[in-house]
Amino acid sequence: MPSNAPMHLTPRKRPRQARAAATVDAIFEATIQVLVADGPDRLTTTRVAERAGVSVGTMYQYFPHKQALFYAVNERYLSALAERVEGAARAQHGAPVSEMVKAIVTTYWTVKTERPEVTRALYRSVVELDNESLIEAFAQRVDTATAAMLATAPDAAFADLRTVNLTLLTTIFGAVRSVFERDLPPLEAHAVQHQLILMCVAYLAAVKSAPRKAS
Amino acid sequence: MPSNAPMHLTPRKRPRQARAAATVDAIFEATIQVLVADGPDRLTTTRVAERAGVSVGTMYQYFPHKQALFYAVNERYLSALAERVEGAARAQHGAPVSEMVKAIVTTYWTVKTERPEVTRALYRSVVELDNESLIEAFAQRVDTATAAMLATAPDAAFADLRTVNLTLLTTIFGAVRSVFERDLPPLEAHAVQHQLILMCVAYLAAVKSAPRKAS
DNA sequence: ACCTGAACACCGTTCAAGT
DNA sequence: ACCTGAACACCGTTCAAGT
């Protein structure tokens, strides 16, 4: 659980606990900035400290190793992303499946696209460690939210909801990532987004077992 | 274009050009081994040189920086992968679309799964640089091959073949990557693979414009 | 409490010297 | 031609000293 102090670094020099909170936020912001501007390879503790306006020693008081910087940034990012998707899923309870799919794809895509440089930088910064556990935790949250949503669809039931849900999410997460990795121009990217929705809808129509459920 | 000398390092100590070729292959193999065993973070020039049985200096004669090691490994890997997919695509010319999709998904999935540790290690080693151009080159080859294949389908024509093809590949590449990233257990992974085929088939059925093409 | 920055170990890269 | 390995610059991490 990361600090949840105000995002803007407070006036500098306020004493005691508050000063520390400002320091942490500054380091945090600096990490993202360096990551975006210079890439994970040139992400240097010295550089981050400098950009944050603190000494290296201070940084090490809050982040025990360089990896911790990546970790903290990813944690905040994935947590915010999960929250958004959970919200979208909740809002679609009881809606027809096509609306559900549309909402999930659009939400995920929108969040990822809001700050493309950050998204790209984070995709690149996946450097092993417990980062995998972060992704797992994220996936778990979204899994749960969308499975609960799909279960409320009035126009479809699924023999194996868990697998259908897993396939859907794997595909959506992956497709978005691929688009970023290939750096598709906006026009093509947008076309793929639209097609992705069609694809998911067609898939759900193909595997649904009508109003009542079957084994 | 990397060296295409024999894979097994020749007996060591053979003089002249041959010795050099063996050295390069040894370095190449050592890079993969260290990558798989220790991860990209602990991939050290010293370690690779040691494992390859040469001095650091020698390594730098063939690979001008550490990045070049990652690059070379990725190049060989992606080239081999592209070749396999191209072959599969060629073999399906004139087949019904469902067969086409099945063949492409299965081939891609199979190759990626043949040596999972290598696949995982390479997914992790994507460290910017011209690595993006490698991926682009790879995607281009596969794009071309599958587009040509889809154009020969007797049971379907597509208004916008390029976009359909792009969506298909983006989805397949991405889904496979997501499965690796989440490290899904074999049973679930296999289920997703099967569902992915269903999904692609359903998608193609939904967007095809019957025997003759429409705008 | 919180911060600083010199000091140390380690890694990427070079280059003079060997065969 | 091809290889070696000591040397140098730079980065991650620590810790004694400051406020």
Side-chain angles (χ1 to χ4, degrees):
Chain A
M1 316 295 154
S3 95
N4 37 18
M7 281 297 292
H8 323 284
L9 31 160
T10 51
R12 177 85 57 95
K13 221 50 212 271
R14 198 99 77 58
R16 295 280 134 171
Q17 210 70 344
R19 184 168 52 143
T23 301
V24 169
D25 272 343
I27 295 172
F28 193 81
E29 261 309 308
T31 304
I32 297 189
Q33 283 180 32
V34 173
L35 208 51
V36 168
D38 303 344
D41 257 25
R42 263 149 301 183
L43 191 299
T44 277
T45 47
T46 330
R47 237 189 286 263
V48 171
E50 192 178 15
R51 192 123 180 181
V54 299
S55 84
V56 243
T58 297
M59 247 188 53
Y60 274 84
Q61 228 175 300
Y62 302 102
F63 299 89
H65 26 254
K66 198 175 112 170
Q67 286 284 350
L69 292 171
F70 290 103
Y71 190 87
V73 170
N74 267 290
E75 185 174 44
R76 278 210 197 183
Y77 180 83
L78 288 177
S79 175
L81 178 55
E83 218 159 295
R84 295 276 291 271
V85 176
E86 283 171 346
R90 218 177 303 116
Q92 298 299 321
H93 276 224
V97 281
S98 66
E99 289 305 310
M100 288 179 172
V101 162
K102 197 173 166 184
I104 297 303
V105 172
T106 305
T107 302
Y108 189 79
W109 203 292
T110 302
V111 176
K112 285 284 183 187
T113 312
E114 273 166 2
R115 296 159 74 202
E117 349 74 54
V118 175
T119 300
R120 207 181 308 277
L122 290 187
Y123 273 144
R124 274 174 178 167
S125 81
V126 184
V127 204
E128 66 192 296
L129 214 72
D130 285 324
N131 221 317
E132 205 145 304
S133 79
L134 271 185
I135 290 176
E136 185 49 37
F138 165 76
Q140 207 60 55
R141 279 180 68 175
V142 175
D143 267 8
T144 305
T146 55
M149 173 188 75
L150 284 175
T152 70
D155 59 338
F158 304 97
D160 187 353
L161 179 64
R162 169 153 174 66
T163 300
V164 169
N165 186 42
L166 188 60
T167 302
L168 227 43
L169 292 181
T170 304
T171 306
I172 297 171
F173 294 170
V176 172
R177 172 159 199 155
S178 279
V179 167
F180 270 93
E181 201 158 62
R182 290 189 58 174
D183 203 10
L184 290 183
L187 215 91
E188 288 188 324
H190 196 266
V192 170
Q193 180 191 1
H194 183 237
Q195 298 295 105
L196 181 60
I197 294 174
L198 286 184
M199 190 165 187
C200 292
V201 170
Y203 167 63
L204 288 181
V207 296
K208 82 176 173 195
S209 38
R212 278 294 143 210
K213 145 177 182 179
S215 160
Chain B
M1 318 298 154
S3 94
N4 36 20
M7 283 297 293
H8 321 286
L9 30 159
T10 51
R12 176 89 55 99
K13 222 52 209 272
R14 197 97 77 58
R16 295 282 133 172
Q17 211 72 345
R19 185 169 51 145
T23 300
V24 170
D25 272 342
I27 294 172
F28 193 82
E29 261 308 309
T31 304
I32 297 189
Q33 284 182 32
V34 173
L35 208 52
V36 168
D38 304 343
D41 258 25
R42 264 150 299 182
L43 191 299
T44 278
T45 47
T46 330
R47 237 188 286 263
V48 172
E50 193 179 14
R51 192 123 178 180
V54 297
S55 85
V56 244
T58 298
M59 247 189 52
Y60 274 84
Q61 229 174 300
Y62 301 101
F63 299 88
H65 25 257
K66 197 175 114 171
Q67 286 283 350
L69 292 173
F70 290 102
Y71 190 87
V73 170
N74 267 290
E75 185 175 44
R76 279 211 195 182
Y77 180 84
L78 288 177
S79 175
L81 178 57
E83 218 159 296
R84 295 276 289 272
V85 177
E86 283 170 347
R90 220 178 301 116
Q92 299 299 320
H93 275 225
V97 280
S98 66
E99 290 304 310
M100 288 179 171
V101 163
K102 197 173 165 185
I104 297 302
V105 172
T106 305
T107 301
Y108 189 78
W109 203 292
T110 301
V111 176
K112 284 285 184 188
T113 312
E114 273 165 2
R115 294 159 74 202
E117 349 74 54
V118 174
T119 300
R120 207 180 308 277
L122 290 186
Y123 273 143
R124 276 174 178 167
S125 80
V126 183
V127 205
E128 68 193 296
L129 214 73
D130 285 323
N131 222 317
E132 206 145 302
S133 79
L134 270 185
I135 290 177
E136 185 49 36
F138 164 76
Q140 208 60 56
R141 280 180 68 176
V142 175
D143 267 6
T144 306
T146 55
M149 174 188 74
L150 284 174
T152 71
D155 60 337
F158 303 97
D160 187 352
L161 179 64
R162 169 153 173 66
T163 300
V164 169
N165 187 41
L166 188 60
T167 301
L168 228 42
L169 291 180
T170 304
T171 306
I172 297 170
F173 294 170
V176 173
R177 175 164 195 149
S178 280
V179 167
F180 270 94
E181 202 158 60
R182 289 188 60 174
D183 203 11
L184 291 183
L187 215 91
E188 288 187 325
H190 195 266
V192 170
Q193 179 191 2
H194 183 238
Q195 297 297 104
L196 180 60
I197 294 175
L198 285 183
M199 190 165 188
C200 292
V201 170
Y203 168 63
L204 288 182
V207 297
K208 81 175 173 196
S209 39
R212 278 295 142 210
K213 144 180 183 178
S215 158

